Amino acid sequence: MPAPSLVILTGAGISAESGLATFRDAGGLWSRVRIEDVATPEAFARDPARVHGFYNARREQLADPAVQPNAAHRALAELDARWPGDFLLVTQNVDDLHDRAGSKRLLHMHGELRKARCTRCAAVTPWAGDLSTTTSCPACGGAGGMRPHVVWFGEIPLEMDRIAAALDECDIFAAIGTSGLVHPAAGFVAEVAHRARTVELNVDRTDGTRLFDEARHGKATDTVPRFVADLLAAT
Ligand code: OAD
């Protein structure tokens, strides 16, 4: 029997213990700024400097030496390295903590904070510093067309074809540290429910808990290493 095919979805909760704020918990990012001011194409057209400022601050925070992958990121990287069957880690997070932990079979469906995209030539470039309304594109040289390589509300998430293919084959689906409120990711559990064992790992119950076969509550740094150990023990 081939090993079960795994799809793992992560959200901001997995990075909370690394020091990055979530969006919707008390004190989360969306309690401090409005989505429609910083995370839509319309906001960027209206006030690009403000949008750049929001993502520049988040990029800077990510560069803080105190912000490091935690035990949950590391456990998922180990699972990726050791899982004998198909495996895909789909993250909604724009941080690079899964990458830094060593995950390889990984897709960033909402983009990456440490990349910039040219709206003129479409080149995507690694980006460590600030972006501004005058930044030039390293690929085409055009100035003023650079944007964060992140998906905004109203835009289509990245890599949806590869994600759909993995969900089609999936035998075990786990959602970790996500409120399950943002589509399309919020709909993945319903898409696989007819064929896969579904597990939610979250510090608390969510609006979507009832959609999963099993819920494991607790901090990601506790629940994820245990979940990974259980999966590896069963193969
Ligand atoms: P949310 O902020 O909506 O949800 C974070 C989830 O993590 C909540 O359900 C918390 O209970 C849980 N959580 C918090 N700390 C945790 C911990 N230590 N261990 C385990 N769970 C914990 O974040 P997301 O679901 O990721 O999109 O949000 C989805 C999308 O909405 C984001 O990718 C972003 C946002 O707007 C865009 O910007 C396009």
Side-chain angles (χ1 to χ4, degrees), residues 155-227:
E155 296 182 323
I156 298 169
L158 309 176
E159 307 277 13
M160 288 309 293
D161 290 350
R162 286 171 69 191
I163 295 170
L167 290 173
D168 269 352
E169 301 295 320
C170 156
D171 300 307
I172 301 174
F173 173 78
I176 301 171
T178 176
S179 57
L181 293 173
V182 176
H183 284 271
F188 292 171
V189 61
E191 281 175 46
V192 301
H194 66 285
R195 58 165 298 142
R197 174 185 156 215
T198 58
V199 186
E200 178 182 64
L201 295 92
N202 198 294
V203 76
D204 224 331
R205 283 185 66 82
T206 68
D207 288 353
T209 299
R210 67 193 156 74
L211 302 172
F212 291 82
D213 298 322
E214 182 188 344
R216 296 181 173 207
H217 292 138
K219 289 183 170 183
T221 54
D222 292 330
T223 58
V224 177
R226 220 171 304 138
F227 177 60

Side-chain angles (χ1 to χ4, degrees), residues 1-6 83-86 169 171-172 195 234-235:
M1 270 263 288
S5 171
L6 273 182
W83 190 254
D86 287 342
E169 301 295 320
D171 300 307
I172 301 174
R195 58 165 298 142
T235 56

Side-chain angles (χ1 to χ4, degrees), residues 11-13 16-17 22-25 30 92-93 110 151-153 177-180 182 202-204 206 218-220:
E17 292 166 79
T22 62
F23 294 94
R24 295 174 183 81
D25 291 310
W30 296 152
Q92 298 168 88
N93 298 343
H110 288 169
V151 174
W152 287 322
F153 285 89
T178 176
S179 57
V182 176
N202 198 294
V203 76
D204 224 331
T206 68
K219 289 183 170 183

Side-chain angles (χ1 to χ4, degrees), residues 52 55-57 59-60 127-132 135:
H52 280 312
Y55 288 98
N56 287 345
R59 202 176 297 110
E60 192 178 315
W127 210 267
D130 285 352
L131 285 171
S132 79
T135 304

Side-chain angles (χ1 to χ4, degrees), residues 29-81:
L29 285 169
W30 296 152
S31 70
R32 291 180 243 157
V33 287
R34 297 186 329 149
I35 287 174
E36 49 274 42
D37 287 337
V38 296
T40 66
E42 294 78 14
F44 190 59
R46 199 170 50 238
D47 191 348
R50 174 155 192 201
V51 174
H52 280 312
F54 175 71
Y55 288 98
N56 287 345
R58 294 183 63 199
R59 202 176 297 110
E60 192 178 315
Q61 189 189 18
L62 194 53
D64 182 335
V67 175
Q68 295 293 337
N70 64 45
H73 298 105
R74 289 194 297 272
L76 292 181
E78 184 191 349
L79 183 61
D80 180 358

